[in-house]
Structures are given as structure tokens and as C-alpha cells.
Amino acid sequence: MSIRVFSGVQPTGNIHIGNYLGALKQFVDLQAEGTSVEDVPHRSDQSSLNDCIYCIVDLHAITLPKDPAELRDSILDVAALYLAVGIDPKKSVVFVQSDVPGHAELAWILMCNSYTGELSRMTQFKDKSRGNESAPTGLFAYPVLMAADILLYDSNVVPVGSDQKQHIELTRDIAIRVNNKYGDDTFVVPEGRFLKDGARVMALDNPTAKMSKSAENPHSFISLLDDEAKIRKSIMRATTDSDGEIRFDPASKPGVSNLLTIYGAFTGKPVAEVEREWAGRGYGDFKKAVAEVTTDALEPIRRRYAEIRPSDELRAVLRDGAERAGAISEKVILRVKERFGLGA
Ligand code: AQP
């Protein structure tokens, strides 16, 4: 039996190298290989190739106001990027969240099994609602919808960036709570999968904050679709420090450490090796090298994206994905409704 992998990305703003290195790159790697059972403690069966489901989470995008036309375009942009980075719709299910009704349905059921206290502790909610007297209910309930996304597919493994650790923990807590009440096999309890290097890429202009799509400064992040000149400019401007030593020390050298992380992730070298390679050399040369490896990695993605985005095939992939995802999720919804005593 294969391991079920599930994850998603919001169709908001520019997909950046943080999203890519923390999440999308893992999506591609996981589709090509079987996950060893040691990575998934609650499974004892032999795994074969992973069974991957990748979603564009548009219902999450409307937790804050969005222009409808822009949102529709962004959904197709992210779908095209999924394929451009190497997600193969013949191997993985690729679809849009709102095309499968089970996400919203299960979210309501889970909301009735989660507590305002635990949701108020979510740091992402605190960050996004800071300074406002009142926040949209959807923003508050966002982690429950994320739990529904994951539990709807009996997912074993969820590849995400480390900023999502708290939400994965909440998903597990809700699944265990429901299982204790309604039967052990109501939900599969999932595991988060976080990379060692690249799990948290920091903002180039403020390396103590994570790289974020909603940053106002365009040089804070590198979009997957940025051209060579923009990549070079953003990296050459990246905030570092004045001691001139290339060393991985996120606490006292967050900027240089972030560049080491990016270089390591794009070259596939462990950060310690990159540190040794660059010891005693200058920031200027190092930044040029980071820009070069980033450009080399993103150029083929940009090229494939330009071919895929205008093609009719994209919508066909999403329709087919929604059908396949719908068939899997319907079975889980039926099981949950039966356990809860819902329906005629
Ligand atoms: N800086 C990051 N480093 C590593 N991984 C990251 N991810 C996001 N930022 C980083 C991972 O990318 C996946 C998709 O993220 P998302 O689109 O669902 O939402 P997000 O985390 O809210 O992304 P942003 O860029 O931070 O958007 P805004 O600015 O709108 O809040 C997730 O797996 C996430 O961990």
C-alpha cells in the first residue's frame, strides 16, 4: 500500500523561492519516490510509490478580501507553476480546492470539534489580525479548514514549510480528539514533513522575518518567475552584516545564514559544505554565486511556465484532478457522516 501525500499552496501573489524550497520542491521529490515507512511511524506496511494529491487552496485565499478576476488568474498561475516545477498530473492529482465540496463540508464538522482557545493561540492568526479590533471569522478558522483539507484524503504525510508546524500539530490534535470520540479509524493521523535546509527561507530585506508573498518591497522575495536581472538585483541588495565572515549562524548572522540556506538548497549541498566552500571569501562574490545558482534553477521553470500557462490542457488537468480528488474525498465524507450520525 502506498503512502498518501497531501499539500497545497494559496493562489495569492507571487509564488516565491520560500514556497518552492519549503514546499513545492518536496512535492516533486515525493512524487518520484516511495516514502520509507520509518518516516511515517504509524504505518507498518511496505510502501511503494507515493500517492500524491496537490491542491490549490483558493478557499484559504478568501480569508482576506480578493479581487475575483485576480483570484481566478492566480489559481491558473499556481496550477501552471505546479506543472512547471515538475508535478506530473499523470502521477499526482492536481486540483482546485473549491472544486471539491468535501473541504468546506468537513471543515464545518471539524469546527464543531475544535475550540476557540486553541485557535487563538495560532501565531499566523495573531500575525495577520494584529492591530485590528475584529478579524474575519474565516481568518480565525483557517487552520480548521487546513485540517479538513488534510484529513479529507486520509493523508499520511504533509510536506510544508516549517511555518506550518503549528497548524499540522492542530490537525493531529483534532484528528486524535475525533478518533477518541467516534472510533480510532475515523481519521488517519498525519505527519508533517519539513526539510532540514530550505524549510524556512527568510525575507532578503529583513532576514529575521520569513520570506512572504505579501511583502511590499519587491526585493524582499524572489518570485519563481523573476528574470535574471531582478534575481541579481534582489540578492545583491540582500541585508547582511558588517563582519564580513561567511558563516551559518541564524541568531547573529541571519542575512548571511539565509543566503547560505538558499545556495545550499539550490545546489543540493548541505549548508556545512557550502560554509566550508566559501570560508574566507567576500560577501560580494558569494552573493553573485547565490544569484547564479538561483537563476540557473529558475530559468527552466520560467520557460516551462510560459508554455503551460496559455495552454487549454491546464484546465483539463484541473477538471480531471477535481474528479479524482472528489472520488477519494466522498468516501471519507461518507465515513465521517456515518460516524457522527449525520444525514438520512
Ligand atoms: N519563507 C518560507 N520558507 C519556506 N517555506 C515557506 N512557505 C511559505 N513561506 C515560506 C511554505 O509554502 C507553502 C505554501 O504557502 P501558502 O501559500 O499556503 O501560504 P503562506 O505560508 O501564507 O505563504 P506566504 O508567502 O507567507 O504568503 P502570505 O504573505 O500571504 O502570508 C507552505 O507549505 C508554507 O509552509
Side-chain angles (χ1 to χ4, degrees), residues 105-120:
E105 194 174 357
L106 186 58
W108 175 255
I109 295 172
L110 299 186
M111 258 185 259
C112 300
N113 285 275
S114 53
Y115 294 92
T116 53
E118 59 191 349
L119 295 184
S120 341

Side-chain angles (χ1 to χ4, degrees), residues 51-333:
D51 171 14
C52 300
I53 303 180
Y54 298 129
C55 183
I56 296 140
V57 288
D58 58 344
L59 293 173
H60 286 273
I62 59 166
T63 49
L64 293 172
K66 291 282 164 324
D67 174 79
E70 272 176 30
L71 178 58
R72 198 155 288 127
D73 269 352
S74 298
I75 290 171
L76 294 177
D77 293 347
V78 175
L81 273 171
Y82 269 12
L83 306 192
V85 299
I87 295 172
D88 178 351
K90 290 196 189 77
K91 292 184 186 157
S92 300
V93 176
V94 177
F95 73 104
V96 180
Q97 183 187 30
S98 66
D99 285 339
V100 175
H103 291 259
E105 194 174 357
L106 186 58
W108 175 255
I109 295 172
L110 299 186
M111 258 185 259
C112 300
N113 285 275
S114 53
Y115 294 92
T116 53
E118 59 191 349
L119 295 184
S120 341
R121 286 194 293 275
M122 296 293 117
T123 51
Q124 197 174 80
F125 171 71
K126 287 190 208 163
D127 289 347
K128 294 202 170 180
S129 60
R130 188 162 291 132
N132 298 315
E133 210 170 285
S134 180
T137 314
L139 188 64
F140 185 64
Y142 175 113
V144 184
L145 177 58
M146 179 166 159
D149 299 338
I150 297 166
L151 300 179
L152 188 59
Y153 297 98
D154 287 339
S155 315
N156 306 109
V157 171
V158 187
V160 279
S162 62
D163 59 310
Q164 294 297 329
K165 269 190 184 153
Q166 206 185 19
H167 291 162
I168 301 289
E169 268 318 302
L170 179 78
T171 302
R172 290 171 52 82
D173 289 348
I174 295 174
I176 293 167
R177 183 178 303 147
V178 170
N179 285 356
N180 286 340
K181 213 161 157 189
Y182 296 94
D184 258 359
D185 54 352
T186 307
F187 289 129
V188 169
V189 182
E191 308 278 332
R193 186 180 193 266
F194 314 96
L195 293 180
K196 274 201 201 81
D197 297 327
R200 194 169 168 82
V201 177
M202 310 309 279
L204 295 172
D205 61 340
N206 173 15
T208 55
K210 76 162 186 161
M211 186 174 281
S212 177
K213 295 189 202 107
S214 46
E216 273 173 27
N217 176 3
H219 296 293
S220 175
F221 58 84
I222 292 173
S223 152
L224 293 193
L225 299 177
D226 280 347
D227 62 20
E228 192 178 346
K230 157 71 172 58
I231 294 172
R232 201 174 330 108
K233 204 165 182 182
S234 299
I235 290 181
M236 294 314 285
R237 283 182 179 198
T239 303
T240 49
D241 52 56
S242 54
D243 80 3
E245 203 185 332
I246 300 178
R247 183 165 50 82
F248 189 75
D249 180 352
S252 55
K253 296 174 68 67
V256 172
S257 302
N258 192 35
L259 293 176
L260 282 163
T261 299
I262 295 170
Y263 186 93
F266 278 127
T267 55
K269 294 179 186 172
V271 165
E273 188 183 327
V274 183
E275 227 182 348
R276 278 195 301 277
E277 187 182 327
W278 284 89
R281 297 162 74 180
Y283 286 174
D285 285 348
F286 181 50
K287 283 181 166 179
K288 276 186 204 144
V290 177
E292 200 175 308
V293 297
T294 306
T295 306
D296 287 352
L298 299 191
E299 201 275 328
I301 295 175
R302 215 170 58 236
R303 199 164 12 89
R304 281 195 295 270
Y305 174 87
E307 286 164 18
I308 296 165
R309 180 62 178 85
S311 78
D312 294 336
E313 197 202 329
L314 193 56
R315 284 179 195 275
V317 164
L318 295 175
R319 271 197 305 274
D320 175 61
E323 250 175 59
R324 289 158 70 195
I328 301 167
S329 64
E330 270 168 25
K331 289 191 192 130
V332 179
I333 288 285

